[in-house]
Amino acid sequence: MTQYEPVIGLEIHAELQTNSKMFCSCSADYSNAPEPNTFICPVCTGLPGAMPVLNKKAIEQAILVGLSLNCSINEFNTFARKNYFYPDLPKGYQISQYDLPIASKGYLDILDDTDNPLRVVVRRVHIEEDTAKLSHEKNYALVDFNRAGVPLLEIVSEPDMRSVEAALSYATKIRAILRYLGVNSGDMEKGVLRFEANVSVRPIGSSELRTRTEIKNLNSFRALTRASAYEIERQIEVYENGGEVVQETLGWDEARGVTVSQRGKEDAHDYRYFPEPDLPPLQLDRAWIDSIKSQLPELPDAKTARFISDFKLTPSEAQLLTSEQALANYFESIVAKSKSPGKAIHSWIAGEFMRYINDSGLALDEINLPAEKFAQLIDMVTDKTISGNSGKIVLNEMLKNGGDPQEIVKAKNLAQVSDTGFIQEAIEKVLSDNPKEVEQFLAGKETIVQWLMGQVARATKGKADPNVTKELLVKALDGKRK
Ligand code: ADP
Ligand code: MG
Ligand code: ZN
């Protein structure tokens, strides 16, 4: 049987976080509109004769994205009309960019499904406008123009991905970068970031690009991966049955887990692109581009590399911390206030802290634990004032109810004791309460020491320093040998 490989290219639509819309002064913050059709004007509802004006902030954000994706920024920009009819498009055309986009020929380095580096070429980044929102009722549909004209960026990759995992890793990284830049919240439930997957399959070893299908409006990473995986299997089956894949636009039915045909794919000529006569070409100043470049924050890859070298973290440890800028900043604030090594601080964040976040469903910015208090707690474990287990108890208490680590340790009586008298007493009691286990040890079952350690920890409520305990326990057991 022929072995196939998938070929995937992604188109990503990202709304920009500007105050006003792309071509008018209406608020772009449509999700906070008091009512449908309140953030509208003659421009964004497509009234005849209304004139668009470019939003400078949107251009600036587009340049930030282009630079972050290693693109060249094109100084000479034009806008084009992309003509089609749909009830969510009041003008009957969308203002977009066609032959001269704001940024082109960049790349993004990711890890593929086998964790090998893969450079995905970013073909272009262009500026356009979002459509209105339709809600389909039983016998009619409603249209809300608050979203119409919101600045939208389209990021188009070359068909460079060869697995669903690679596509996911590309999409995840683009989202992280957009969030780092502060140009998009990444809030996919709100539809501010949407993926379109272009998928084809071909026999492994072949370099041809076969007919692709395009799956529109994927609003979550889960939808992106499930829909692409489904489409890959479907196309392989078509070829295996001697058929041909038809180029078309598909939708994803989340409930049934299938792609559904929406329409035959239109080609560029179907849109009758022509230069937008109401907007003059946009000539960008090199100096302005350079000043935007100087505002670029440290991006995930650079931060990851720095964390690996500064804090001796593994790549995956560093990546966990840099996946969110806020998390990376939190980590660095704790490092700054703590005497413990970065590696230990990472463990606390990756372990008990993340568990709390996942279980509680809270977002990082809803967590009210000052870095300084977290640092104090970690230091108390590092200097053995409390045990690791007690540290977890204190951390959870602080996350739930706030408070000061020293006071919680005092209130819960968690301070660890390395006072040998106290520990010795506990050991003697454990040994006399468990004669059978002591016999087993003396008969050569050395592993029983671990179990006895557990008993001592329990008897001392976790307050006995484990190193001291072990030393004393081994000595006490050896003393029982004849
Ligand atoms: P257009 O939408 O203008 O026709 P293209 O067809 O060149 O542009 O590309 C649109 C998207 O489809 C791009 O993201 C590209 O990477 C992807 N793509 C193009 N050809 C294929 C293919 N054979 N298999 C998978 N993806 C493809
Ligand atoms: Mg497309
Ligand atoms: Zn408007």
Side-chain angles (χ1 to χ4, degrees), residues 452-471:
L452 289 166
M453 287 274 295
Q455 298 306 302
V456 178
R458 194 195 245 177
T460 58
K461 299 201 168 59
K463 290 195 289 180
D465 180 320
N467 290 328
V468 179
T469 305
K470 179 135 198 205
E471 200 178 302

Side-chain angles (χ1 to χ4, degrees), residues 3 6 50 70 76 78 117 123 150 162 186 199 261 265 271 274 302 328 330 334 345 363 370 377 385 390 437 445 479:
Q3 293 286 311
N70 308 292
F76 187 73
T78 58
R123 181 188 296 175
V150 166
R162 300 286 172 270
V199 177
S261 181
K265 159 80 185 164
Y271 289 121
F274 66 84
Y330 191 49
I334 299 172
I345 294 167
L377 164 71
T385 308
S390 301
E437 282 72 16
K445 192 176 173 196

Side-chain angles (χ1 to χ4, degrees), residues 187-455:
D187 207 337
M188 288 181 279
E189 276 153 42
K190 290 191 179 149
V192 301
L193 189 64
R194 305 167 325 238
F195 307 117
E196 278 166 39
N198 295 272
V199 177
S200 63
V201 300
R202 65 186 177 195
I204 287 183
S206 142
S207 60
E208 65 174 329
L209 280 179
R210 290 198 172 182
T211 302
R212 69 182 153 109
T213 57
E214 177 177 359
I215 319 164
K216 286 257 182 210
N217 279 322
L218 299 166
N219 285 327
S220 65
F221 289 126
R222 185 177 141 86
L224 171 67
T225 50
R226 286 180 74 209
S228 311
Y230 176 88
E231 194 51 22
I232 291 164
E233 289 311 312
R234 188 190 70 81
Q235 291 184 16
I236 291 174
E237 214 171 291
V238 169
Y239 287 127
E240 284 296 293
N241 291 327
E244 283 297 323
V245 169
V246 184
Q247 179 164 342
E248 61 184 338
T249 300
L250 304 170
W252 171 242
D253 184 330
E254 183 75 48
R256 289 195 297 143
V258 297
T259 55
V260 284
S261 181
Q262 290 190 328
R263 54 177 192 260
K265 159 80 185 164
E266 51 288 279
D267 284 313
H269 62 252
D270 294 322
Y271 289 121
R272 304 291 191 274
Y273 277 101
F274 66 84
E276 167 59 59
D278 291 341
L279 284 171
L282 171 69
Q283 178 74 49
L284 299 173
D285 198 359
R286 222 344 99 185
W288 189 50
I289 299 173
D290 289 341
S291 84
I292 293 171
K293 194 173 200 162
S294 69
Q295 296 167 30
L296 278 176
E298 183 182 37
L299 292 170
D301 277 354
K303 216 184 261 299
T304 301
R306 182 167 62 80
F307 280 14
I308 291 170
S309 83
D310 284 8
F311 306 118
K312 310 278 165 294
L313 301 179
T314 66
S316 68
E317 288 169 347
Q319 259 160 26
L320 173 102
L321 297 172
T322 60
S323 62
E324 291 286 340
Q325 197 175 31
L327 187 63
N329 290 346
Y330 191 49
F331 167 75
E332 288 203 275
S333 319
I334 299 172
V335 167
K337 299 198 157 67
S338 159
K339 294 188 275 299
S340 309
K343 191 101 176 164
I345 294 167
H346 159 270
S347 304
W348 279 96
I349 291 182
E352 206 59 20
F353 181 77
M354 284 306 209
R355 183 162 24 247
Y356 181 81
I357 292 230
N358 292 335
D359 292 351
S360 66
L362 291 173
L364 189 56
D365 62 5
E366 294 169 304
I367 298 284
N368 206 359
L369 174 59
E372 193 173 357
K373 298 252 187 280
F374 202 164
Q376 284 169 6
L377 164 71
I378 297 172
D379 287 351
M380 286 169 88
V381 178
T382 304
D383 69 18
K384 299 205 164 70
T385 308
I386 56 174
S387 69
N389 272 333
S390 301
K392 289 182 188 170
I393 295 170
V394 178
L395 177 59
N396 278 291
E397 174 65 21
M398 288 196 295
L399 287 165
K400 271 190 215 107
N401 304 317
D404 182 83
Q406 266 99 8
E407 274 158 28
I408 297 170
V409 166
K410 220 179 282 162
K412 291 191 185 280
N413 193 21
L414 291 170
Q416 187 159 265
V417 181
S418 38
D419 164 16
T420 48
F422 165 77
I423 299 175
Q424 191 67 43
E425 217 169 277
I427 288 176
E428 266 151 33
K429 178 151 193 330
V430 165
L431 295 187
S432 69
D433 285 353
N434 299 285
K436 235 175 45 218
E437 282 72 16
V438 174
E439 278 309 314
Q440 288 174 350
F441 172 83
L442 294 174
K445 192 176 173 196
E446 305 253 336
T447 51
I448 205 84
V449 173
Q450 219 35 53
W451 183 84
L452 289 166
M453 287 274 295
Q455 298 306 302

Side-chain angles (χ1 to χ4, degrees), residues 24 26 40-41 44:
C24 61
C26 293
I40 59 173
C41 74
C44 56

